[in-house]
Amino acid sequence: MRPRPVRIVDFQPVPAGRLVAVYAILCAGLVGLAARLAWVQVVQGDQLLNRARAIQTQTIQPLGKRRTIVDRQGRLVALDEERFTLWAHPRYFAFPGDDPGTVRPSLDVARKLSGVLAVPMADLMRSLGDRKSGVKLASELDPETAHRVRRLAISGLDLEPYPQRLYPQGGLFANVVGFLNLERVPQAGLEQSRDGDLKRHEAQLLLRRGADGTPLPDGLRPGVIYGDDLRLQLTLDARLQQVAQQALTKQVKQWKAKRGVALVMDVRNGEMVALASTPTYDPNQFWKYSPGLFREWSVQDLYEPGSTFKPINLAIALQEGAIDPAGKVNDTGQLTIGGWPIFNHDRRGNGLIDFPTVLQVSSNVGMVQAMRNVKPAAYWQWLRRLGIDEVPDTDLPGAVAGELKTREQFVTQPIEPATAAFGQGFSLTPLKLLQLHAMLANGGRLVSPHITRGLRSGDDLAPPPPASGVQLIRPEIAQTVLNWMETVVQTGSGKGTKIPGYRIGGKTGTAQKALNGIYIPGARICSFVANLPVDDPRFVVLVVVDEPQGGNAYGSTVALPVARQIIEALLVLEKIPPSPQSDHRTKTSGSAPRRPG
C-alpha cells in the first residue's frame, strides 16, 4: 500500500485592522451591557423593585369589622356577621369540565343559580341582560348561601365579603345602643359615642407569595395577623329591660301618652340595670322610623320633677339643720308668697303634720313651710352642689345639664325658692333625678350613672365595680328620708308598690309641663320613684310618663303600675331576700340630730 500523501495548508495571517474592529465591537458591547446594567440597577432599580413586589405581594384590605356588644349577662346586643355580594361576569361563564375557551350562555348559569338564591330565573336574566361584566346579582347573602354558590364552581361568579351589623334584640336596646347606617357610619347611641372602642383591630395585610403562589412568611411583622376578640359589655340586663319595656309600652298605650321611660340603677356603683323607653325603633330597619326616635329623651330632655323632688329637698333641710326630724309644719292648704298663690294639688289643708305625712299627702304648702327655714342663698348653693345645672358624669350619649335660675333671681324673688320646694321652677333630666334619689339610697353618696363596664376578652364578663360616690349628705339623714319615703308606700300614694316582706320607699309625682317658660294647660308629666330595700338599699327605680291623657292621670295611676312590675321582676332576677322582720314602720322620724344654724 502506498502511503497517503500529506497536504500542506498555508495559513494566511489575519489583517490587523480586522482584529482591531472585532476587539472594538466586543469592547463596545461590554460597555453597553455595563451601561445597561447600571441603568437598570441604579436608575430603574426602585421602579422595577416596586413592580416585582406588586406581582409577588397580595394586598388584603381589612373588612372593617366592629366589636360585639353584650349585656351584663353576656347576651348578644349588637354584632357583625359576614355577608356577601354576588357579582357576575358573563364573558367568563364556564362550568367545571368545560373545554378551555368555552363561554356558557347566561341562561345556563341563571338556571343553576335560581334554586340556590331562591330567585326566579327570569329576574336573574333581567339583571344579566346583555352585559358582559360587573353585574350585581344579589347582596346580603348569608355564609351558607355563599357556600352553596361556591360549590357550583362556575367561572365568572365573584363573591365579595363584607360585614353587616345586626341587633338581635331588635328595639329593646335601640335607645342606648343606636345603629349604623347603610354606609356603616354610626348614627346614634353607643355606636356613635364609643365608635373608637367598637372598631376592631384590623390592619392592611401585605402577603408575599412565591412563584407557585405559596405564601411566604418573609416581611410579616409580629402581630400583623392579630385580630382581637374584645366585646363591649353593658351594665343593662336584657331580662329586666324586656319587663320594663313591655310594662311601659302597655301603660303608655293605655293612657294615650306621648312617651315614657323606665330607669333602674344600682345605687352602690351607678350601674344602670335597665333603661327602657317608648316609643322605640328597630335598628335593623332604622330607615322605616322617624329620626326623632333615635335620641334617648330621658338623658337629653328637661322637665320639672314636681313632687318626686320633695325627698331631696327634705334631705337638704335636714343637712342644713333647718328642720327637726321630729318637727311638724302647719299645712293650711294655700298661702301667698311674693304676691303669688300656692295651693296643694287638691286645694285642701292637712293641718299640723309631720314630715312623713308631708310626703304621704304630697303637700306643697308643707314643703314651702319646711324649706322657708333654709336661707335662699344656701338653698341655691345646694342645688348647684347637687349638679342640677351641670352635665352628669356619665357614659350615656348626649347627656345634658339641667336649668336653674340665677343666684340673684333665686335670692331676690321669694317665689323662686318657694316653687323649688315642691319641684318646680327648675328643670333636669330623668337621669339626673334618678342619680339624686340614688344618692339618698347610697347613704348620701352621689355616684355617676353609667351603662358600660368596658371591653372584655372572649367570654369573660366584668364583675360589678365596688361601691363609690362623693359624700354630700350625712348617712343618717339619708336614712331618715328613706324611712319617710317608706311611709308613702305603707300608707300614702305609693301603696300600689307594697310587697309583703320587703321594705320599699317611694314617691309619686304629677307635675305641670312647661314650654318656653309657660305651663301648658292640661299637660302633665306623671312619675314614680322607688328605692329598695330600705334596710339595705341596692336599687332605685324611676318611671316617667309624658302627657298621659285623662282626668285621672297621676303618678300613682300611670307611672306606679309600671314600677310595680319592674320591682317584682327585680326582686326575682337579683335574688333579693326579704327584709328582716322589725317594727320599722314606727321609725319614721329617724335619728338625725338637728344641727344649729
Side-chain angles (χ1 to χ4, degrees):
M1 176 179 290
R2 288 183 178 184
R4 181 178 298 176
V6 178
R7 178 181 296 180
I8 299 176
V9 179
D10 186 13
F11 289 97
Q12 297 293 328
V14 178
R18 187 181 298 176
L19 288 175
V20 171
V22 171
Y23 182 75
I25 292 173
L26 290 175
C27 289
L30 290 174
V31 171
L33 181 60
R36 177 60 180 168
L37 289 175
W39 177 267
V40 169
Q41 293 186 12
V42 177
V43 179
Q44 291 186 312
D46 293 341
Q47 179 183 355
L48 295 175
L49 180 61
N50 291 335
R51 288 177 60 186
R53 286 180 175 174
I55 296 173
Q56 298 169 357
T57 305
Q58 177 185 4
T59 302
I60 302 176
Q61 297 290 346
L63 292 179
K65 289 186 176 180
R66 294 172 71 83
R67 295 186 173 113
T68 298
I69 301 176
V70 298
D71 80 341
R72 69 191 290 126
Q73 303 295 336
R75 298 177 184 86
L76 289 173
V77 174
L79 72 155
D80 269 1
E81 280 197 356
E82 194 173 40
R83 290 291 186 267
F84 297 85
T85 298
L86 178 60
W87 298 91
H89 311 282
R91 62 181 176 181
Y92 299 123
F93 280 167
F95 291 168
D98 285 348
D99 294 333
T102 301
V103 177
R104 287 274 185 167
S106 298
L107 182 63
D108 293 348
V109 175
R111 185 178 293 111
K112 283 185 172 290
L113 285 177
S114 178
V116 174
L117 301 178
V119 176
M121 192 167 60
D123 293 349
L124 293 176
M125 288 300 298
R126 191 178 303 111
S127 298
L128 289 168
D130 56 356
R131 299 167 62 185
K132 297 299 182 182
S133 184
V135 182
K136 185 177 180 180
L137 287 184
S139 60
E140 299 187 16
L141 296 181
D142 58 78
E144 184 178 349
T145 303
H147 178 66
R148 291 200 297 266
V149 172
R150 289 194 187 96
R151 290 183 59 184
L152 295 177
I154 299 176
S155 298
L157 294 180
D158 184 21
L159 285 165
E160 178 188 7
Y162 66 92
Q164 179 173 319
R165 198 66 163 171
L166 298 179
Y167 302 92
Q169 307 286 350
L172 192 60
F173 292 99
N175 58 320
V176 292
V177 172
F179 65 95
L180 305 183
N181 65 12
L182 298 179
E183 286 75 37
R184 289 182 61 79
V185 177
Q187 298 296 305
L190 290 174
E191 291 280 22
Q192 187 175 50
S193 65
R194 301 293 293 269
D195 183 47
D197 292 332
L198 290 172
K199 288 181 178 178
R200 194 179 295 277
H201 174 85
E202 290 184 310
Q204 186 183 66
L205 181 61
L206 300 178
L207 186 65
R208 295 186 60 193
R209 296 183 180 275
D212 60 351
T214 303
L216 301 176
D218 300 343
L220 288 182
R221 301 184 307 276
V224 72
I225 309 183
Y226 168 75
D228 67 69
D229 61 347
L230 296 177
R231 306 183 301 171
L232 180 64
Q233 184 183 352
L234 305 182
T235 64
L236 303 175
D237 189 314
R239 300 167 300 176
L240 189 65
Q241 182 87 351
Q242 187 170 23
V243 171
Q245 185 78 47
Q246 291 176 348
L248 186 66
T249 301
K250 179 181 178 182
Q251 200 74 343
V252 167
K253 183 178 180 180
Q254 177 180 338
W255 289 92
K256 297 181 175 61
K258 181 179 179 181
R259 56 188 179 178
V261 67
L263 307 97
V264 181
M265 189 171 85
D266 189 324
V267 303
R268 301 166 298 180
N269 51 37
E271 286 194 336
M272 300 292 299
V273 187
L275 201 173
S277 65
T278 187
T280 184
Y281 66 98
D282 184 356
N284 297 298
Q285 299 177 313
F286 63 88
W287 56 88
K288 295 183 178 179
Y289 299 86
S290 168
L293 297 177
F294 300 161
R295 56 193 299 275
E296 176 46 50
W297 71 273
S298 67
V299 180
Q300 301 180 3
D301 287 358
L302 305 178
Y303 81 113
E304 295 185 357
S307 295
T308 50
F309 201 82
K310 290 175 179 176
I312 309 297
N313 278 329
L314 289 177
I316 293 174
L318 287 170
Q319 183 75 17
E320 283 291 300
I323 60 174
D324 190 306
K328 295 183 178 182
V329 291
N330 185 25
D331 177 8
T332 58
Q334 66 178 39
L335 72 166
T336 302
I337 303 291
W340 295 88
I342 291 178
F343 302 93
N344 287 335
H345 67 92
D346 55 4
R347 296 183 177 248
R348 288 165 42 185
N350 295 285
L352 195 63
I353 55 177
D354 58 14
F355 296 113
T357 306
V358 168
L359 293 181
Q360 293 168 28
V361 300
S362 200
S363 170
N364 292 341
V365 173
M367 284 300 305
V368 173
Q369 299 283 30
M371 299 306 293
R372 267 180 168 176
N373 299 320
V374 181
K375 295 180 180 179
Y379 188 8
W380 182 85
Q381 191 60 44
W382 264 107
L383 296 177
R384 288 292 310 277
R385 193 178 304 169
L386 295 176
I388 298 295
D389 58 347
E390 296 178 355
V391 177
D393 179 20
T394 178
D395 57 1
L396 280 155
V400 300
E403 293 181 351
L404 188 63
K405 297 295 175 62
T406 65
R407 184 181 186 279
E408 182 181 0
Q409 289 176 305
F410 204 87
V411 172
T412 60
Q413 300 178 20
I415 190 61
E416 295 300 338
T419 55
F422 50 89
Q424 293 191 313
F426 66 94
S427 59
L428 42 64
T429 63
L431 177 70
K432 184 62 183 181
L433 181 65
L434 182 81
Q435 182 191 28
L436 295 179
H437 274 278
M439 176 194 66
L440 293 180
N442 193 31
R445 294 189 302 273
L446 188 71
V447 296
S448 300
H450 58 277
I451 58 172
T452 61
R453 284 185 178 176
L455 296 172
R456 306 297 295 178
S457 177
D459 294 330
D460 293 339
L461 296 177
S468 60
V470 179
Q471 194 77 45
L472 295 180
I473 302 292
R474 298 204 309 276
E476 63 271 20
I477 289 177
Q479 187 61 50
T480 294
V481 178
L482 289 185
N483 291 339
W484 292 351
M485 292 177 67
E486 185 181 8
T487 68
V488 176
V489 173
Q490 292 292 332
T491 59
S493 58
K495 288 187 293 185
T497 53
K498 185 191 300 185
I499 298 177
Y502 290 92
R503 297 182 60 184
I504 299 172
K507 184 69 189 79
T508 56
T510 306
Q512 293 176 282
K513 187 175 180 180
L515 180 64
N516 298 324
I518 301 176
Y519 290 109
I520 305 172
R524 300 176 175 179
I525 294 184
C526 298
S527 54
F528 180 78
V529 61
N531 42 62
L532 66 144
V534 170
D535 52 296
D536 183 21
R538 288 187 56 190
F539 298 100
V540 60
V541 179
L542 173 64
V543 178
V544 182
V545 179
D546 188 12
E547 293 191 29
Q549 305 301 309
N552 196 35
Y554 299 102
S556 59
T557 57
V558 178
L560 185 148
V562 178
R564 167 72 185 233
Q565 295 183 54
I566 294 174
I567 292 172
E568 289 176 339
L570 189 61
L571 295 175
V572 174
L573 294 176
E574 295 296 328
K575 300 180 176 61
I576 301 176
S579 301
Q581 295 297 320
S582 63
D583 188 18
H584 55 268
R585 282 175 290 184
T586 62
K587 302 177 182 179
T588 58
S589 61
S591 58
R594 181 175 181 176
R595 297 177 61 191

